[in-house]
Amino acid sequence: MRTTTALREQACQVLEANWTGRFTKPAPRLYPHQWSWDAAFIALGWMHEDQERAQQELRHLFRAQWKHGLVPHIVFDRRARGYFPGPGVWETHRSPDAPARIATSGIVQPPVHATAAWAIYQQARDRSAARAFLEELFPKLAAWHDYLFRERDYYGEGLVYIRHPWESGMDNAPLWDGIAQRMHLNPGDRPRYRRVDTTLVAEADRPTSAEYDRYLYLVRLFAEAGYDEARIREACPFLVQDVLFNTLLCRAEQDLAEIAAELGEDSEPFRQRACRVAEAVNRKLWDDRRALYFDYDLVLDRPIWVRMAACFTPLFAGIPDGLQAARLVSHLEASGFFNWDGSCYSVPSYDPNGLGFSPVRYWRGPVWININWLLIEGLARYGYTEHAAHLCRTVRLLVERNGFYEYYHPYTGEGHGSEQFSWTAALVMDLLARRPEWMQWGVRSTRRRAVA
Ligand code: DGY
């Protein structure tokens, strides 16, 4: 068992090793560029160690913001090699909105950035630098959220859609299986390409080639549409109102309202938008019979009844009322996602009893630390401190025993995907700093046998 100081130092070394001088790579080899939601989670770790780097992380990302507000899911580092699909595949020059001199992808990832910026400000030792940072970022964050509501909430429902599995951040989640099956690709539709990811980590840990075919088919569709949202909306077989994405947007609007108020700006429009999203999530994505939030497929006009850990994350944004929260927590315990007894490291990304569950394959079952971090904060928000503390100890166990991996086998705890994964380290740093009592050994719990 390591001391808290030793663990924090090791986590910090992971970030240091992945720091490029301009931003932090998500992982040493598998992800050599900057990724959007990774940048936000990574900043949440840096803020405890090096405020300037935390700020720099988001500054670097927002420098690549498109003219109409889109924040790209990848900002390519021209010096880095060995990643597919690179800028040549994205062809973002076909859009008049893409930045001219910075190479990026043409899709988004979940909007955690206002949440990270507000946290950095609140933790900052150098308040005046943090204020200047907030002033610089505020209009960019507002433009980013405006983009999402303008382009992705076409029917004005208060829910934005994603149009690629990569936009969810949960690339190969079983959520998308039904849509992928509907995408009948003829030989001419199948892009020719060579993957790099499966040469760097075990093929069994990554999405399949059939999934990659569809990822790339969608990328080509976007490029051929010149990244024009109206044209994409017409043709795209993948249009989903995703629980996790909208939850994070709701929370980001709440945090943007805090930022606006701190800067003496009008916070009301952001608060109102946060409320609209929360209402819409409860109206359209809450399934009262199953006591869970589900994604919504806009193409088929019906819910996607696939049970993911992400379906519980509306707790993070305070979306459920007290009764809904209690039912969510009971559901979490009854379903096998959350175990007090050590039968499984909580919380796996996908239903352990679900069809197509895999303990190693990316978003089809392994434990991810960012989802657990969201659940820890969400459970704490509603007063479920025993549950939150239990998850904190699980996170600590996983990294102590196995290192800072991208994701973990829910039954053995073995690390999978890339080692030295930045957001795992960053979020452990954050929990050690902000939730020290829950990350300690020996404290409390009547139900402490869990995962011991
Ligand atoms: C990858 O390369 O695996 C990413 O998840 C896509 O952004």
Side-chain angles (χ1 to χ4, degrees):
M1 191 187 307
R2 283 168 229 165
T3 64
T4 295
T5 315
L7 193 61
R8 195 183 60 232
E9 277 168 11
Q10 276 167 348
C12 194
Q13 278 161 17
V14 171
L15 292 193
E16 191 67 55
N18 288 333
W19 172 249
T20 63
R22 287 153 291 124
F23 66 91
T24 312
K25 292 181 286 184
R29 288 180 344 120
L30 188 57
Y31 306 112
H33 307 286
Q34 187 179 40
W35 265 258
S36 167
W37 77 329
D38 292 72
F41 289 127
I42 289 166
L44 290 171
W46 272 133
M47 76 183 176
H48 298 291
E49 239 2 87
D50 187 329
Q51 179 185 334
E52 178 46 36
R53 284 197 188 172
Q55 295 170 179
Q56 169 63 16
E57 201 66 42
L58 292 179
R59 278 198 177 107
H60 186 271
L61 178 70
F62 276 83
R63 243 173 248 143
Q65 184 168 30
W66 289 26
K67 291 189 200 82
H68 61 348
L70 176 150
V71 174
H73 102 296
I74 301 177
V75 181
F76 290 105
D77 179 0
R78 289 189 195 279
R79 288 163 243 197
R81 293 282 168 273
Y83 176 78
F84 174 85
V89 177
W90 290 96
E91 297 189 276
T92 54
H93 59 268
R94 291 180 180 230
S95 165
D97 292 308
R101 274 184 281 280
I102 304 178
T104 75
S105 69
I107 58 169
V108 300
Q109 267 182 339
V112 205
H113 316 92
T115 300
W118 180 234
I120 293 170
Y121 181 76
Q122 287 175 303
Q123 297 286 327
R125 292 198 193 101
D126 182 343
R127 301 293 288 183
S128 70
R131 196 177 169 86
F133 164 72
L134 270 197
E135 276 165 2
E136 179 190 332
L137 220 63
F138 172 65
K140 300 180 183 199
L141 289 166
W144 164 218
H145 294 187
D146 288 350
Y147 160 82
L148 289 172
F149 285 107
R150 192 182 59 244
E151 304 287 337
R152 304 297 189 95
D153 181 17
Y154 186 57
Y155 299 105
E157 290 179 279
L159 291 174
V160 305
Y161 67 72
I162 54 171
R163 51 169 157 83
H164 194 294
W166 286 340
E167 292 203 316
S168 71
M170 302 181 290
D171 305 7
N172 67 339
L175 283 168
W176 325 129
D177 288 1
I179 303 177
Q181 271 161 2
R182 294 204 307 267
M183 289 170 64
H184 300 287
L185 303 187
N186 295 319
D189 300 328
R190 289 186 58 187
R192 294 163 72 84
Y193 58 90
R194 186 173 305 153
R195 289 172 66 175
V196 181
D197 58 326
T198 44
T199 66
L200 298 172
V201 299
E203 198 174 335
D205 291 6
R206 295 287 301 174
T208 62
S209 291
E211 283 161 335
Y212 256 77
D213 287 348
R214 281 148 185 87
Y215 301 156
L216 291 160
Y217 171 82
L218 289 172
V219 170
R220 194 162 70 193
L221 188 151
F222 302 155
E224 284 173 359
Y227 291 94
D228 178 288
E229 200 60 35
R231 287 177 63 193
I232 292 174
R233 210 180 289 124
E234 278 293 302
C236 189
F238 186 109
L239 295 174
V240 173
Q241 290 166 325
D242 174 51
V243 170
L244 178 62
F245 198 102
N246 281 283
T247 291
L248 293 174
L249 178 59
C250 178
R251 172 62 190 265
E253 283 285 1
Q254 294 163 11
D255 292 319
L256 196 52
E258 298 293 335
I259 293 172
E262 185 67 22
L263 297 178
E265 304 280 345
D266 183 7
S267 59
E268 212 32 46
F270 306 112
R271 271 187 229 293
Q272 281 175 11
R273 277 205 307 216
C275 289
R276 274 193 70 221
V277 180
E279 278 163 21
V281 169
N282 275 326
R283 187 181 59 249
K284 191 165 180 187
L285 307 185
W286 171 251
D287 184 321
D288 200 51
R289 191 163 64 83
R290 296 178 175 88
L292 199 55
Y293 293 93
F294 287 108
D295 281 25
Y296 197 88
D297 179 340
L298 285 175
V299 174
L300 286 195
D301 199 14
R302 68 168 192 223
I304 302 175
W305 287 295
V306 173
R307 202 160 56 163
M308 302 283 301
C311 299
F312 298 90
T313 57
L315 293 165
F316 178 69
I319 292 173
D321 64 23
L323 182 60
Q324 283 173 302
R327 293 183 66 202
L328 276 175
V329 174
S330 306
H331 190 156
L332 193 65
E333 289 181 302
S335 56
F337 273 101
F338 187 101
N339 298 280
W340 296 105
D341 65 2
S343 56
C344 168
Y345 286 93
S346 301
V347 169
S349 50
Y350 174 51
D351 182 355
N353 303 302
L355 192 69
F357 171 84
S358 157
V360 300
R361 204 182 276 283
Y362 217 35
W363 287 93
R364 301 185 76 89
V367 179
W368 286 77
I369 301 305
N370 65 335
I371 296 294
N372 278 272
W373 182 89
L374 294 170
L375 290 173
I376 289 165
E377 296 304 318
L379 289 163
R381 183 171 183 155
Y382 284 82
Y384 292 95
T385 50
E386 286 256 314
H387 294 73
H390 175 71
L391 292 191
C392 279
R393 278 188 299 280
T394 306
V395 167
R396 181 166 184 159
L397 261 180
L398 283 172
V399 297
E400 276 205 352
R401 289 182 180 168
N402 308 288
F404 296 92
Y405 268 86
E406 189 176 1
Y407 40 92
Y408 299 87
H409 190 300
Y411 298 121
T412 66
E414 192 189 351
H416 284 268
S418 178
E419 56 191 356
Q420 304 284 89
F421 192 66
S422 290
W423 87 35
T424 300
L427 295 176
V428 166
M429 283 160 73
D430 181 57
L431 291 173
L432 288 170
R434 287 190 315 105
R435 305 284 186 196
E437 68 288 7
W438 294 347
M439 293 292 274
Q440 287 302 327
W441 295 114
V443 201
R444 75 98 271 197
S445 185
T446 47
R447 307 183 191 173
R448 203 177 160 268
R449 277 177 306 112
V451 290

